């Protein structure tokens, strides 16, 4: 089956710093979603991005489908950005990566 | 964005009992819903795909007789954990797929099940 790999697995930032999270996938997909799982377990939709670039405030994402990767950019990080970030690829069902655990320190 | 609710948010039960978890799409209709399981510090694992009006499709290794799924309407899917055992303790999350426009999935807040 398709493999989804996220890097880095863990990331510690100082408040105000920028970061890039990566998601590699091993086969063609219908679409790709990025999520933030908050400390209570709720998955929050960040981006639905099968290809191209999208921006939402301090977050932006780029998917290069032909090269099978997606990037999530977080600028001017805040402590509330802490949590786990998942990418998931859709092949008819969502296949999740293992996540990147982000800790933003004040 | 689309809203998905789950009930209950947490439940504690005795070993051998059954527990039902409800998943509702509040402001859209969903012909397809999904059930996931998440262990601490791990990713989400798809358990089954629930289609309105038909039998659920279970992932390999998921016992269909233990995890009963019913999708009786376009806004409600239920997961019943039958004869629960401590190893069934986990965080269960549902999602619903939009049926118009994109096929983006939206997730419920999850249900934390503890089996004593």
């Amino acid at each position: 089956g398709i493999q989804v790999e996220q890097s880095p697995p863990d990331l510690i930032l100082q408040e105000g710093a920028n970061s890039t999270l990566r998601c590699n996938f091993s086969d063609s997909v219908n679409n790709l979603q990025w999520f933030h799982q908050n400390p209570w377990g709720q998955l929050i939709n960040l981006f639905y991005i099968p290809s191209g670039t999208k921006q939402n405030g301090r977050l932006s994402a780029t998917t290069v489908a032909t090269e099978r990767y997606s990037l999530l950019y977080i600028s001017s990080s805040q402590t509330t950005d802490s949590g786990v970030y998942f990418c998931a690829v859709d092949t008819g069902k969502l296949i999740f990566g293992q996540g990147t655990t982000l800790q933003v320190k004040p | 964005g689309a809203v998905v609710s789950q009930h209950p948010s947490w439940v504690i039960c005795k070993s051998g009992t059954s527990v039902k978890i409800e998943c509702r799409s509040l402001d859209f209709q969903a012909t397809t819903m999904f059930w996931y399981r998440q262990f601490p510090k791990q990713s989400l694992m798809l358990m089954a795909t629930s289609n309105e009006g038909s039998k659920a499709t279970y992932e390999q290794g998921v016992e269909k007789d233990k995890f009963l799924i019913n999708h009786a309407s376009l806004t409600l899917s239920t997961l019943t954990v039958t004869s629960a055992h401590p190893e069934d303790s986990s965080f269960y999350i549902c999602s619903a797929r939009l049926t118009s426009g994109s096929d983006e999935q939206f997730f419920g807040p999850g249900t934390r099940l503890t089996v004593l």
Side-chain angles (χ1 to χ4, degrees):
Chain A
I2 191 169
Q3 303 296 314
V4 183
E5 296 182 357
Q6 290 186 242
S7 60
D10 300 283
L11 185 59
I12 300 175
L13 296 176
Q14 208 64 37
E15 197 169 29
N18 303 327
S19 63
T20 300
L21 282 57
R22 187 177 181 102
C23 175
N24 291 334
F25 44 98
S26 61
D27 206 344
S28 300
V29 299
N30 299 330
N31 62 67
L32 183 146
Q33 292 187 240
W34 281 98
F35 301 92
H36 175 210
Q37 187 169 37
N38 67 23
W40 298 272
Q42 171 78 63
L43 272 90
I44 299 164
N45 289 43
L46 298 178
F47 293 101
Y48 172 87
I49 185 166
S51 64
T53 297
K54 290 185 178 180
Q55 181 155 9
N56 185 1
R58 295 181 297 103
L59 303 182
S60 63
T62 295
T63 296
V64 184
T66 53
E67 297 187 22
R68 298 177 185 168
Y69 73 89
S70 183
L71 302 174
L72 177 69
Y73 305 95
I74 304 175
S75 64
S76 304
S77 58
Q78 300 176 358
T79 55
T80 51
D81 294 332
S82 297
V84 184
Y85 289 80
F86 289 106
C87 72
V89 299
D90 196 336
T91 61
K93 53 190 178 184
L94 283 183
I95 307 298
F96 280 77
Q98 289 302 306
T100 293
T101 301
L102 172 64
Q103 183 182 359
V104 181
K105 294 187 173 182
Chain B
V3 180
V4 178
S5 71
Q6 269 184 254
H7 179 78
S9 55
W10 60 270
V11 57
I12 301 173
C13 69
K14 293 182 178 180
S15 187
T17 61
S18 295
V19 174
K20 180 185 284 189
I21 302 169
E22 293 186 349
C23 176
R24 294 181 185 273
S25 55
L26 297 185
D27 52 0
F28 66 102
Q29 293 183 330
T31 54
T32 305
M33 292 183 172
F34 303 85
W35 288 95
Y36 297 82
R37 186 174 181 176
Q38 186 180 30
F39 291 107
K41 306 282 186 191
Q42 294 188 23
S43 187
L44 280 75
M45 181 190 75
L46 179 65
M47 299 175 64
T49 301
S50 169
N51 293 296
E52 187 265 338
S54 64
K55 290 184 178 180
T57 302
Y58 291 82
E59 294 300 302
Q60 190 172 5
V62 177
E63 300 176 58
K64 60 180 67 177
D65 293 332
K66 181 164 191 62
F67 298 101
L68 300 180
I69 292 172
N70 183 272
H71 193 159
S73 79
L74 288 173
T75 59
L76 173 64
S77 176
T78 60
L79 168 68
T80 301
V81 183
T82 63
S83 187
H85 288 97
E87 57 266 31
D88 298 324
S89 298
S90 189
F91 191 55
Y92 292 88
I93 311 173
C94 72
S95 72
R97 186 196 292 276
L98 292 179
T99 54
S100 59
S102 77
D103 51 3
E104 186 173 358
Q105 286 190 36
F106 293 86
F107 284 75
T111 297
R112 194 162 303 280
L113 170 64
T114 302
V115 185
L116 302 177

